[in-house]
Amino acid sequence: MASTESSRARKRAAEARAAAEAAQNRRQRLINIGIGAVLVVVVVGLVGGAWWSSGRSGGNIEPSADAVLPQGVLAADSPYAYGVVAAKGAAQGKPVVEIWEDFQCPACEYFEKVFGETVTEMAKSGDAEVIWRTIAFLDSNIPGQNSKRAMSAWGCAIDEGKKDEYHEIVFANQPTEGVGWTNDQLISFGAQAGIKGDRFDPFKQCVVSETYFGWSVNSTDQMRIQGITGTPTVVVNGKKVAFDPSDPDGDIERLKKAVAEAGAPQS
């Protein structure tokens, strides 16, 4: 058993390093084509050393109190406004883990690859209440509104009960920055996630209509309100967790330790 776990750890570490190198290559391409002039890349000690930074809420659409929200998304008056609870049934009084992410962010793809399984297990086991604080701030700097489009499509999948599946598939199919996803791709992800039968057409129409654009804008505005400076950012009971990009397996243990030591959030 110990040998198997060690092999898994080595494999995960190798995959994480490859993902970090790929993210770095994509960032360099952005700089080479001139987007780096408006997109500030801050290298800090958080998964893969890639932290995308911006001070604007994303695109030219203003936040609105009338925005339609997907089923179960936390309301505007929640301390975790517009967030998505990763799993139902987390025990009350457990630590709250917030994961700030953008579907176009390469470092967020890295985070999903390295930490996704661990975070999902925390949520499903009730060890923590995990809340995805998904945002679309990269649309401020990259044409196409692709972060909003992906987030809105995810909202459509949330309505169909495929929250976890669609979230994973979008990151697994992350395109080069600036390329984005076509509507056909976003719709096909729903089929891959298991949306079918008489529910597929409503999902498709929801994606095409961009029903949840307003939600993505409101959620992104929370980044400014709560002082989040980049993605991915992990917050446990209101405290940011620092990581060591050279040690992804150690980072998993550091996250587990942070959760174990956090206790219930302060009211």
Side-chain angles (χ1 to χ4, degrees), residues 24-228:
Q24 176 61 38
N25 290 337
R26 289 196 295 270
R27 289 197 304 277
Q28 189 58 51
R29 284 197 296 272
L30 270 178
I31 294 170
N32 290 342
I33 66 175
I35 296 177
V38 291
L39 179 62
V40 181
V41 180
V42 182
V43 179
V44 297
L46 181 64
V47 289
W51 188 312
W52 296 90
S53 179
S54 173
R56 303 189 308 184
S57 62
N60 54 10
I61 305 172
E62 294 299 320
S64 170
D66 297 327
V68 180
L69 306 183
Q71 294 179 21
V73 167
L74 299 175
D77 59 356
S78 166
Y80 313 106
Y82 308 114
V84 178
V85 179
K88 294 180 179 179
Q92 294 295 316
K94 292 293 185 177
V96 176
V97 179
E98 300 172 74
I99 301 173
W100 292 84
E101 60 181 11
D102 185 310
F103 280 127
Q104 282 197 99
C105 163
C108 298
E109 178 195 24
Y110 173 92
F111 182 92
E112 175 71 12
K113 189 176 185 68
V114 175
F115 293 88
E117 183 178 344
T118 298
V119 169
T120 298
E121 181 58 32
M122 281 182 180
K124 289 183 176 179
S125 68
D127 289 339
E129 183 173 23
V130 177
I131 301 176
W132 284 312
R133 306 301 302 272
T134 309
I135 55 178
F137 83 100
L138 283 176
D139 283 349
S140 294
N141 303 309
I142 301 176
Q145 306 290 298
N146 287 303
S147 293
K148 291 187 189 68
R149 292 176 57 250
M151 188 172 171
S152 179
W154 181 41
C156 301
I158 291 172
D159 285 348
E160 301 301 333
K162 298 300 180 180
K163 172 177 56 184
D164 296 353
E165 295 89 341
Y166 198 90
H167 181 272
E168 180 179 345
I169 290 168
V170 174
F171 273 123
N173 291 274
Q174 187 186 77
T176 301
E177 297 88 346
V179 174
W181 301 266
T182 66
N183 274 351
D184 285 346
Q185 285 177 309
L186 294 172
I187 291 166
S188 73
F189 296 162
Q192 293 175 48
I195 302 171
K196 55 188 177 181
D198 61 0
R199 296 311 309 163
F200 190 76
D201 281 346
F203 165 76
K204 179 179 178 179
Q205 183 57 42
C206 179
V207 173
V208 172
S209 301
E210 299 174 342
T211 300
Y212 296 120
F213 248 47
W215 166 51
S216 71
V217 172
N218 285 9
S219 183
T220 304
D221 197 48
Q222 290 295 309
M223 183 183 192
R224 173 187 59 80
I225 292 170
Q226 301 200 27
I228 300 299

